[in-house]
Amino acid sequence: MSTPVKPQTATRVFRLPDLGEGLTEAGLVQWLVAVGDTIVTDQPIAEVETAKSIVELPSPFAGVITALHGTAGDTIDVGAPVLEVADSPSSPSSAAAPESPASPAPPAQPEHEAYREEERAGSGNVLIGYGTTARATRGRRRPPVASTTIHPASTTIHSASGTLAGTSPAGSSERRPVAVRSPLVRRLARDLGLDVHSITATGADGAITRADVLRAAVDGAVDAVADGASAHDSGRTTPGTGVGPEAGETVDGLEVRARERMSPLRKAVSAKLSRSRSEIPEATVWVDVDATELWDLRARMAPEGGKAPSVTALLARFVLLALEEYPVLASRLSENGDEILSFDGVNLGIAADTERGLLVPVVSRAHALSVTQLDSALRELTTTARSGAMPPERLRGSTFTLNNYGGLGVDGSAAIINHPDVAILGIGRIIERPWVVDGAIVARRIVQISLVFDHRVCDGGYAAGFLRRVTELIEHPLRAFGRV
């Protein structure tokens, strides 16, 4: 009499998938499920924050959750476990399998092979909006090759070859194999003059992350100052934690109150602004403008029962008109810096202050929009950005940026150019000030506008001409609408 075979429950580990765009980690915002919950394939299980946006993360597996890895606020690297799922008793995969002759167990797979198998076994739905696919794959989802257009990532060609691995030359015992999944990480290392073989990898499956490259660059710079070593001798760490003082420790006579890890968004903003400052020889011109006529005209532009267009929409329209005469300010430099790329139109970036930090959503082909259309687009972008639901693709591709920091209560600012743009226009508060008109001091609505530009693409005279044109349109707004 044979003994019935007891059904075995399989447990599968869902690891953070490759999110594309060169992203190597994500911050856990909140769990949408709990241990013990039964989930279905593609059910959102968590909200994660990448350097681009907050998205819902769907599970490629169905079953009962047996473990959650991480708490809100943690950073999860690509390839690290997110949750574990066991087949539910009613799942077909948990049914008893017929007895079969014993076969030798296959050799244990390396960690990265297990990760690839788990991704192949799932739905393929990596981010919300991608959809489930039953197409068989041979490996991980790979980012598409970017096209060379005015739209997102217009001057960057991304490799679709997945993991980029460097190997040591034959006969060399000093250069070890390295794995660089992201072409952006490889490019960052090259731009910083770092040999990837000298960088200590901390990513999943031994991959080098962007954080590893930046850490190596900082370590190399500090070491070079300390002992005259080459900046390429990076990767060394300070004894102890290697991450600086902890809360409660004393630094320069003051106690460290807290340590807070930067979010993926904040780190992305930091890296982008640092690149802008390090690469772009910028200059600034500014002027105070009498915006009284514009202020009065705007109030009369409101349709019956509707709202008048925002000041930002009106100024955006004036900026776009001026860029038709001064298109170099809406261009880009080629990667090697020896060519200026001019475009047929303008993708307008609008700086938005949100609870998560500064975001720059983009109005594609803004030059073709009317004031009413611009106003509608800007209101929608601002609302979406502040809700944290801005899709990553809408945060890329600007060719000129407008920053209305007057809403923050300041008159002026030395803004940082939004790389790879070559210029940014800032707008201060529009407030009443004493102004001389026909020899008399009167109260007028005055605004300061400032233009920060890349001195490599144009000189001060060109930038000043653009600013004068914007000034004329603000002071005489009816000219922008076909009236003298």
Side-chain angles (χ1 to χ4, degrees):
M1 181 175 178
S2 61
T3 304
V5 178
K6 183 179 180 180
Q8 304 220 343
T9 302
T11 299
R12 288 171 288 181
V13 180
F14 172 37
R15 300 176 185 273
L16 186 67
D18 186 344
L19 302 177
E21 303 295 333
L23 304 177
T24 58
E25 62 184 14
L28 179 60
V29 177
Q30 65 173 335
W31 288 110
L32 303 178
V33 293
V35 173
D37 287 354
T38 299
I39 59 175
V40 297
T41 302
D42 291 341
Q43 177 178 333
I45 51 92
E47 286 186 351
V48 295
E49 178 189 43
T50 70
K52 303 290 185 181
S53 185
I54 291 181
V55 296
E56 290 182 339
L57 188 66
S59 171
F61 307 130
V64 178
I65 298 175
T66 59
L68 300 176
H69 295 276
T71 58
D74 288 352
T75 298
I76 305 175
D77 292 329
V78 169
V82 177
L83 56 71
E84 297 179 23
V85 177
D87 291 335
S88 59
S90 59
S91 173
S93 61
S94 64
E99 293 186 79
S100 60
S103 58
Q109 291 181 309
E111 185 72 12
H112 69 279
E113 286 300 326
Y115 175 32
R116 295 166 70 93
E117 289 297 329
E118 287 158 4
E119 281 197 315
R120 286 198 291 265
S123 69
N125 187 0
V126 177
L127 293 177
I128 291 298
Y130 280 34
T132 301
T133 174
R135 177 177 60 86
T137 64
R138 295 294 298 172
R140 302 170 57 187
R141 181 187 300 275
R142 294 170 178 169
V145 178
S147 59
T148 310
T149 66
I150 188 175
H151 296 293
S154 65
T155 58
T156 302
I157 304 298
H158 294 284
S159 168
S161 59
T163 300
L164 301 180
T167 56
S168 17
S172 170
S173 59
E174 296 182 359
R175 294 171 67 84
R176 55 187 173 79
V178 296
V180 184
R181 284 201 184 92
S182 167
L184 299 183
V185 173
R186 182 178 290 277
R187 177 180 164 193
L188 176 62
R190 183 178 68 249
D191 290 346
L192 293 174
L194 296 175
D195 181 358
V196 292
H197 295 83
S198 68
I199 299 175
T200 301
T202 63
D205 307 336
I208 293 174
T209 67
R210 182 175 62 85
D212 296 334
V213 174
L214 294 176
R215 186 183 306 109
V218 172
D219 289 345
V222 172
D223 290 342
V225 172
D227 54 23
S230 167
H232 288 278
D233 295 331
S234 58
R236 287 175 282 179
T237 58
T238 304
T241 63
V243 295
E246 298 292 337
E249 296 183 26
T250 300
V251 176
D252 294 333
L254 298 176
E255 182 178 313
V256 177
R257 183 172 58 186
R259 288 177 60 91
E260 179 181 356
R261 187 170 182 178
M262 293 176 70
S263 69
L265 172 64
R266 189 72 259 165
K267 287 188 284 187
V269 170
S270 175
K272 191 166 190 178
L273 298 183
S274 297
R275 182 177 182 185
S276 177
R277 280 297 197 201
S278 65
E279 292 185 9
I280 300 177
E282 62 187 33
T284 306
V285 290
W286 64 90
V287 64
D288 290 339
V289 184
D290 184 352
T292 306
E293 285 192 31
L294 174 63
W295 188 269
D296 295 338
L297 175 64
R298 174 180 173 270
R300 299 197 301 270
M301 293 179 69
E304 185 175 353
K307 292 183 178 180
S310 67
V311 171
T312 304
L314 290 168
L315 293 176
R317 185 62 189 144
F318 297 159
V319 165
L320 292 165
L321 289 173
L323 286 173
E324 292 179 1
E325 302 177 34
Y326 297 88
V328 170
L329 293 171
S331 65
R332 287 181 182 169
L333 278 176
S334 60
E335 288 299 310
N336 56 11
D338 61 0
E339 292 180 322
I340 296 176
L341 308 178
S342 298
F343 301 110
D344 180 21
V346 180
N347 286 346
L348 186 63
I350 302 293
D353 182 58
T354 72
E355 291 183 357
R356 298 175 57 231
L358 178 67
L359 296 178
V360 185
V362 178
V363 181
S364 296
R365 302 190 63 78
H367 62 283
L369 303 181
S370 65
V371 170
T372 301
Q373 291 170 326
L374 276 172
D375 184 57
S376 176
L378 294 181
R379 292 181 190 276
E380 187 273 331
L381 281 179
T382 302
T383 300
T384 304
R386 289 176 178 167
S387 70
M390 181 65 66
E393 61 270 15
R394 300 184 69 184
L395 296 171
R396 301 191 303 267
S398 67
T399 57
F400 188 91
T401 303
L402 185 64
N403 186 359
N404 187 357
Y405 41 70
L408 301 178
V410 297
D411 298 328
S413 170
I416 298 178
I417 296 173
N418 181 35
H419 189 280
D421 296 359
V422 297
I424 180 172
L425 184 79
I427 306 164
R429 296 183 299 170
I430 302 179
I431 59 174
E432 285 191 322
R433 291 181 181 173
W435 202 251
V436 178
V437 179
D438 297 329
I441 298 177
V442 297
R444 304 288 286 182
R445 292 278 180 179
I446 307 300
V447 60
Q448 183 183 99
I449 59 175
S450 61
L451 176 71
V452 183
F453 64 97
D454 188 333
H455 223 315
R456 295 173 297 177
V457 302
C458 69
D459 295 325
Y462 189 94
F466 168 80
L467 208 57
R468 283 197 304 271
R469 180 59 176 143
V470 175
T471 298
E472 290 171 2
L473 293 169
I474 294 175
E475 293 182 339
H476 307 284
L478 289 178
R479 295 178 183 176
F481 302 101
R483 304 178 188 176
V484 179

